[in-house]
Amino acid sequence: MGVDIQGKLRLALGSVKDHASIGKAMMYHNYQHDGFSNIEIAVLRATGHDNGTIDDRYMHEILFLVSNSPGSIPFLAERISCRLGKTKDHVVALKTLVLIHRLLRGGNRSFEQELCKAHVSGHLQLQISTTRCFTKSSSVVGFLHKYAAYLEERMSWLINQAGKLEPVMSKGLEFRRYDEKSIDMAFRILPKCQMLIDKVLECSPHDVLCSDHSLAQAAMSNTLRESFQVYMTFSEGIAALVNMFFDLTASARGLACEILKKASLQSQKLHDLYESCKQVVENKSLDYPFVKIISMNHIVALEQLGSPQNELEASHVSLKSISSRPPPISGHFTKSKEIELAVEAKESKRSEESIGIDLSPTPTLLSWTLETKISMVWVVFEDEFPNNESKVNPAQQKLAGVDAVCDIKSEYGRPSVFLNPFSSSFQTSMSTKV
């Protein structure tokens, strides 16, 4: 069995560096009695050069010190950024990123908001230069950059009181025609979910498999756990966008189709990612959701039905149905009153002979209504279509595409009203022929 001399040398040198950094922080603490140096010492101990995971006691110590030192969060952010920016060891860099992620998830809402503000103000830097030379050039370094990019996007999300992730939205978009909650979910929250899902998809599980590193496993587990919550919000946004699609303007429909097309690709990739992570990530406590793949054919059918040309043809259906109504039945009868009475008497006598029932001079309402409806309406249809051919408008043939759109609603199982601009004209046309 070979001895990893390079690994042992790295651990030895790293241990010396850690002790030197901690000693320097203690000396600073003796001259400055503000208590901030204790926070730096806890950060240095939590992100040591050893290959083990982060000790929970260091994370709790950091949270305790920050909560008892007002105004210390910017100092904490600067110490973490300094640790991440100076190190050339991939283990220390990955530990620092995992520490940031765990602080975001473990702190209270106030601490999380202050840490996000420190990132916006520039005190907390998460970017890792691609030109930096780490001690180990492997798949761990590739995962390191992707994980840092995910945390950059994660900084724009907060955990609400229900324990779920929600994006931090800036006030600036106003919609007056539609319900504020629905439009906010479809056009503001849904794109934010797609941006975070893109960062999750970049964190390939094969990097974790090749690294065989416990830190990478922990980082991927936290990322997956948060992606499960984001996917639930993602599904709600898709359902809201589909439900309001036919109530949008032409320009808004184009934007909605682009969002849905991207969501179709993301749903397929996210499904494949979760299937791979089930085999790679060694965490049995992860509760993977069932990803519903959005078919691109459904999106194309929805786009065709919402096109301006299709909408114009649909508006002509109602006009054609009104103009093609048959004239009043009374207009087809030009005979005199005597001939009409004679014909009616002859028909009633023929009915008595064939059926064998003696009709009274004053027929009942049921018999008179039934005879009139069958004879009169049938004569009108024969005059209109001599060859008994049914005519279907081209715009009505396109109504078959509505079934494909309804499949999108059935995938999300939401009993909501699906607004269809063709529904009113279709019902008018059918009611005329009955």
Side-chain angles (χ1 to χ4, degrees):
M1 178 182 293
V3 179
D4 188 7
I5 300 177
Q6 185 178 2
K8 289 186 176 182
L9 182 60
R10 184 192 67 82
L11 289 176
L13 292 176
S15 179
V16 173
K17 290 180 180 180
D18 291 339
H19 284 292
S21 300
I22 294 173
K24 183 179 179 180
M26 287 182 176
M27 290 177 61
Y28 179 80
H29 174 67
N30 293 330
Y31 290 101
Q32 301 291 336
H33 299 281
D34 52 6
F36 286 2
S37 59
N38 290 332
I39 298 175
E40 183 179 5
I41 294 172
V43 171
L44 292 173
R45 289 175 176 173
T47 58
H49 286 73
D50 59 284
N51 293 328
T53 57
I54 297 178
D55 196 339
D56 289 340
R57 62 178 179 175
Y58 295 133
M59 187 192 71
H60 293 302
E61 183 180 358
I62 292 172
L63 293 175
F64 174 77
L65 292 173
V66 170
S67 62
N68 289 277
S69 302
S72 59
I73 294 182
F75 176 81
L76 171 65
E78 290 178 355
R79 292 298 91 195
I80 291 177
S81 302
C82 182
R83 184 69 165 170
L84 183 62
K86 288 184 177 181
T87 184
K88 294 184 179 179
D89 192 291
H90 67 281
V91 175
V92 176
L94 188 54
K95 271 189 174 183
T96 306
L97 293 176
V98 173
L99 176 64
I100 297 171
H101 202 175
R102 293 190 63 181
L103 288 175
L104 285 172
R105 295 176 56 84
N108 55 23
R109 186 173 179 83
S110 177
F111 173 82
E112 187 181 13
Q113 291 176 348
E114 291 296 327
L115 198 60
C116 291
K117 289 180 181 178
H119 175 260
V120 174
S121 62
H123 291 87
L124 181 60
Q125 298 289 336
L126 299 177
Q127 297 178 355
I128 300 177
S129 176
T130 56
T131 60
R132 187 185 305 178
C133 181
F134 286 95
T135 56
K136 186 177 181 180
S137 178
S138 64
S139 58
V140 179
V141 179
F143 178 78
L144 186 65
H145 291 281
K146 296 173 183 177
Y147 186 46
Y150 170 78
L151 290 179
E152 282 279 349
E153 183 63 30
R154 170 65 174 81
M155 282 296 173
S156 60
W157 290 69
L158 293 175
I159 300 177
N160 57 20
Q161 296 179 353
K164 297 182 179 180
L165 279 176
E166 61 180 8
V168 180
M169 306 302 300
S170 59
K171 303 296 182 179
L173 296 178
E174 294 183 0
F175 301 91
R176 300 178 180 177
R177 290 186 53 192
Y178 310 102
D179 182 68
E180 183 179 355
K181 184 177 180 181
S182 302
I183 205 72
D184 188 72
M185 173 64 73
F187 287 98
R188 299 180 70 185
I189 298 180
L190 179 57
K192 289 288 292 183
C193 293
Q194 290 182 318
M195 293 175 63
L196 192 65
I197 288 176
D198 282 339
K199 300 302 180 182
V200 175
L201 294 173
E202 292 177 0
C203 298
S204 173
H206 299 289
D207 298 334
V208 184
L209 176 64
C210 297
S211 66
D212 192 21
H213 205 285
S214 58
L215 280 173
Q217 290 277 343
M220 194 66 192
S221 297
N222 292 333
T223 303
L224 288 173
R225 190 175 286 106
E226 291 181 342
S227 71
F228 300 160
Q229 298 179 358
V230 176
Y231 173 72
M232 296 304 174
T233 309
F234 171 85
S235 300
E236 294 177 2
I238 293 296
L241 187 59
V242 172
N243 288 335
M244 70 172 64
F245 183 81
F246 287 105
D247 196 27
L248 299 173
T249 59
S251 58
R253 289 180 188 176
L255 178 60
C257 288
E258 294 300 324
I259 295 176
L260 291 175
K261 289 177 181 178
K262 182 177 180 179
S264 177
L265 299 176
Q266 285 182 324
S267 62
Q268 180 64 56
K269 293 180 180 179
L270 198 62
H271 175 270
D272 297 339
L273 175 67
Y274 287 166
E275 292 299 322
S276 300
C277 289
K278 290 178 182 179
Q279 307 297 328
V280 175
V281 180
E282 300 173 357
N283 192 336
K284 303 300 181 182
S285 63
L286 293 176
D287 188 12
Y288 292 89
F290 176 75
V291 179
K292 301 174 183 178
I293 301 176
I294 307 172
S295 174
M296 188 62 72
N297 295 332
H298 295 163
I299 309 301
V300 173
L302 191 67
E303 186 177 16
Q304 291 177 352
L305 286 175
S307 61
Q309 181 180 1
N310 205 342
E311 189 175 287
L312 181 61
E313 292 178 357
S315 62
H316 291 327
V317 173
S318 58
L319 297 177
K320 290 182 179 179
S321 61
I322 296 175
S323 61
S324 60
R325 289 178 181 175
I329 298 177
S330 59
H332 290 275
F333 297 98
T334 57
K335 298 181 181 180
S336 61
K337 188 67 176 178
E338 292 78 5
I339 297 178
E340 290 181 0
L341 294 176
V343 171
E344 291 176 0
K346 185 177 180 180
E347 291 293 335
S348 61
K349 183 177 180 180
R350 184 178 302 172
S351 301
E352 292 176 1
E353 294 177 355
S354 59
I355 302 176
I357 299 177
D358 187 12
L359 298 175
S360 59
T362 305
T364 63
L365 180 62
L366 180 61
S367 62
W368 176 260
T369 304
L370 181 62
E371 180 182 355
T372 304
K373 281 189 175 181
I374 294 176
S375 60
M376 301 305 181
V377 177
W378 183 257
V379 170
V380 174
F381 271 88
E382 281 188 345
D383 291 341
E384 268 190 62
F385 307 108
N387 298 328
N388 293 328
E389 296 178 357
S390 61
K391 297 183 178 180
V392 181
N393 294 330
Q396 294 178 354
Q397 294 178 354
K398 297 184 178 180
L399 291 172
V402 179
D403 297 336
V405 179
C406 293
D407 292 341
I408 305 178
K409 291 182 57 189
S410 62
E411 291 181 0
Y412 290 93
R414 293 187 171 271
S416 55
V417 180
F418 190 78
L419 302 176
N420 191 341
F422 305 119
S423 59
S424 59
S425 58
F426 179 69
Q427 292 174 0
T428 304
S429 180
M430 292 298 295
S431 62
T432 306
K433 290 186 178 181
V434 173

